[in-house]
Amino acid sequence: MKTLFATAAALCAMAAPLSAEIRIAHVYGKSGPYEAYAAQSHNGLMMGIEYATDGTMKVNGEDITVIEKDTQLKPDVGKTLLAEAYGDDDAHLAVGPVSSGVALAMLPVAQEYERLLLVEPAVADSITGKNWNRYIFRTGRNSSQDAVANAVAIGDEGVTIATLAQDYAFGRDGVAAFREALDGTGATIAHEEYVPADTTDFTAAAERIFNAMKDIEGEKRLFIIWAGGGNPMGKINAMDPSRFGIEIATGGNILAALKAYKELPGLEGATYYYYEIPENPVNDWLVEEHFDRFGTPPDFFTAGGVSAGIAVVEALRRAGTTDTEALIETMEGMEFETPKGMMRFRPEDHQALQSMYHFRTEIQEGKDYGVPVLVRELGIGDMDIPIRN
């Protein structure tokens, strides 16, 4: 397998030598409602390291060891485990977590220990916004990237939108960013609805949305921001929002969640990843290898994990050391290839700028879900992502 990366011999000669073993802690929610996300993220991380090291699991001649720790989606547990990883395990850097709430608890630990935390896949803007510190990088997309991409996809002159989201950092940051991103599109938000993350009965929330929207003229959409199980899209669709002229819209999701999209052919939104969309060597390798190993296509968070693994190896290779300050200097502005194409760490907030994809769902033979077919790729230059730190 041909590597995408050039060696950095000159840098290696100037930098401090690497340790005999490079220890990376993957601190993520292996158990709980995001278990599917976590499994994808870890598989992807290991495959990304494998890809970037040409299968050797070494960088600059040193073995890479990945230490797993389960946050159980609890912020206090995540905070403790990250401190344990840096302190007891002497991890040179860490990757994770799944939950934005857990990530926010972990950020100060990275600063305290002065070691890197590469956030993947937690999404909340505040991670690289108001709660950010210089030891935080993120390969995962943030709420603003979701928001801007979806605003481009569904926002238009005269469109009125209601939002439904989970009542925690991911949902509230997502709606705030979406509202901001709609500015200038001509679309307006008429109602915001927040529900607990474990909600299963959406009747009351849907009725509030319908009452707020039913007398509004023109094109109307309900934009849903949701993570984990219990996605309300199918249940709300069963309440027939179309009788009020309301169309459902949402962003992309994992393959299991896309089953609900089959009920809504023609639904539009923006997605972070779907395995048939990107065309590049990394994604070609990932898709082929994932089918060979697991019998399934790579999913949403698999691609994210691969991106994180590649970023870690590329940073270590270029820096030639595990020294935190050298890694920060190397990673600020660093470009690297991923299953989504090129990503770039923005120097100001260490957020990875990356493509997103405007999609429209189709029903395709042999697939039990609504297939997100590409309308157009939204490249780094097509989206003005705010700096919030």
Side-chain angles (χ1 to χ4, degrees), residues 28 40 69 77 90 106 136 142 180 209 225 229 239 302 350 358:
Y28 67 118
Q40 292 176 24
K69 294 183 181 292
V77 174
D90 195 24
M106 289 167 58
I136 307 305
N142 64 20
E180 180 181 338
I209 292 167
I225 298 176
M239 299 177 202
T302 318
H350 302 173
H358 177 187

Side-chain angles (χ1 to χ4, degrees), residues 3 7-8 28 50 52 71 73 110 128 156 183 189 205 209 225 243 256 299 339 344 346 349 354 356 358 379 386:
T3 182
T7 57
Y28 67 118
E50 176 186 346
T71 70
L73 298 181
T128 43
D156 207 350
D183 187 35
I189 292 182
I209 292 167
I225 298 176
R243 60 197 160 106
D299 211 340
R344 179 192 306 127
R346 185 163 57 184
D349 62 357
Q354 56 197 276
M356 300 286 282
H358 177 187

Side-chain angles (χ1 to χ4, degrees), residues 138-140 142 145 336 342-355 380 383 385:
R138 173 159 55 186
T139 47
N142 64 20
Q145 287 166 311
F336 53 102
M342 188 269 286
M343 289 187 186
R344 179 192 306 127
F345 283 126
R346 185 163 57 184
E348 293 86 351
D349 62 357
H350 302 173
Q351 173 63 49
L353 302 179
Q354 56 197 276
S355 292
I380 291 174
M383 298 177 290
I385 309 302

Side-chain angles (χ1 to χ4, degrees), residues 36-37 39-41 43-45 47-48 253-256 258 271-278 280-307 338-340 367 369 372:
Y37 296 1
Q40 292 176 24
S41 185
N43 287 341
L45 176 65
M47 292 182 76
N253 213 316
I254 64 172
L255 293 170
L258 292 182
T271 191
Y272 166 79
Y273 178 80
Y274 175 67
Y275 75 98
E276 292 183 325
I277 291 179
N280 61 70
V282 186
N283 195 53
D284 291 345
W285 177 86
L286 172 60
V287 172
E288 181 178 358
E289 288 294 320
H290 205 278
F291 270 112
D292 285 348
R293 300 178 192 191
F294 304 105
T296 61
D299 211 340
F300 214 76
F301 296 103
T302 318
V306 172
S307 300
T338 78
K340 298 180 61 182
K367 292 179 178 175
Y369 54 86

